[in-house]
Amino acid sequence: MTIRLDAVRWSASGRVIVDGVTLDVAPGSTLGLVGPNGSGKSSLLRLVCRLRRVASGVVTLDGTDVAALPRLAVARRVALVEQQAGTEAQLNVRQVVALGRTPHLGALAPWTTADAEAVETALDQVGMAERRDQPWHTLSGGERQRVQIARALAQEPRELLLDEPTNHLDIRHQLEILGLVRRLPATVMVALHDLNLAAMFCDTLAVLQAGRIVAAGPPEAVLDEELIRSVFGVRARVGRSPHHGRPQVEYLVDV
């Protein structure tokens, strides 16, 4: 397994946020983390890339404890796209994306053609190439999100972690970005709110509630009406999409 979490536990301010989570993420697959706000999805991603230190248990990359790896080694292979990533610096779009190359540059290493090509490829992938010279602070929330995803892609990660990457994006860009992520030659963990997007684009799902995994497996094995009611507190009908054959959730609400 590329990414493995074994009985991982983490607390903050005396409250358990991640409570004994065990997960395996197969190489090259996309794992979706779903669950209500406060269920531990974001914290779990930060534990994987060592922005948080586990209280107990272990996170491994290719069998090596992430805590034993040099920070630079982790940065070179794992990219994280956060919900509210930003910068106050006066940078343009290309310069923000170029920050993704930082882990690959030594103290005296010059900027190379390969670095420039990685940046341009990432801009093309998210549809922001024509905005490369636009100042960062003039972008909309959705455009900033696409640029931050490009920054992660420019890093050329083996493992890509995304925390609600579809926030601020319109429907077309939600589908385009998640389609792109699914096609990448990387192992992906992505936290999502939208169960239909999770079912459509993820190979497996892990459902979190109060820091614990209550269900895990392929979307068709995980998403059922009782689970959605008990975890999310809403009534729903789960069928199959006539377009892609994956589970499709219809929420039952009075209007």
Side-chain angles (χ1 to χ4, degrees), residues 38-120:
S39 59
K41 302 185 298 295
S42 299
S43 297
L44 205 58
L45 294 175
R46 287 160 178 75
L47 289 167
V48 171
C49 64
R50 222 177 86 172
L51 288 181
R52 300 282 187 272
R53 188 178 296 275
V54 300
S56 61
V58 64
V59 178
T60 60
L61 296 175
D62 290 335
T64 301
D65 186 344
V66 69
L69 291 170
R71 288 192 177 274
L72 183 58
V74 176
R76 282 176 173 166
R77 66 176 289 174
V78 183
L80 172 66
V81 179
E82 300 190 76
Q83 289 186 47
Q84 299 294 334
T87 176
E88 297 301 319
Q90 296 299 307
L91 301 177
N92 62 28
V93 166
R94 183 184 56 77
Q95 290 169 325
V96 171
V97 176
L99 294 174
R101 300 302 300 166
T102 302
H104 301 282
L105 301 175
L108 300 177
W111 184 260
T112 67
T113 300
D115 295 316
E117 289 176 350
V119 170
E120 291 301 320

Side-chain angles (χ1 to χ4, degrees), residues 62-176:
D62 290 335
T64 301
D65 186 344
V66 69
L69 291 170
R71 288 192 177 274
L72 183 58
V74 176
R76 282 176 173 166
R77 66 176 289 174
V78 183
L80 172 66
V81 179
E82 300 190 76
Q83 289 186 47
Q84 299 294 334
T87 176
E88 297 301 319
Q90 296 299 307
L91 301 177
N92 62 28
V93 166
R94 183 184 56 77
Q95 290 169 325
V96 171
V97 176
L99 294 174
R101 300 302 300 166
T102 302
H104 301 282
L105 301 175
L108 300 177
W111 184 260
T112 67
T113 300
D115 295 316
E117 289 176 350
V119 170
E120 291 301 320
T121 297
L123 285 167
D124 284 335
Q125 286 176 309
V126 302
M128 292 295 288
E130 293 184 359
R131 303 288 191 92
R132 61 171 59 82
D133 296 319
Q134 184 170 334
W136 163 262
H137 68 272
T138 66
L139 299 177
S140 68
E143 289 166 342
R144 290 188 181 196
Q145 188 77 337
R146 288 157 63 193
V147 171
Q148 290 298 341
I149 292 170
R151 176 193 56 77
L153 297 180
Q155 193 174 327
E156 299 180 311
R158 290 172 56 188
E159 290 84 20
L160 178 61
L161 315 177
L162 303 108
D163 192 1
E164 299 293 349
T166 56
N167 275 4
H168 309 298
L169 298 182
D170 58 35
I171 295 172
R172 179 171 70 88
H173 286 117
Q174 288 180 18
L175 296 173
E176 287 179 354

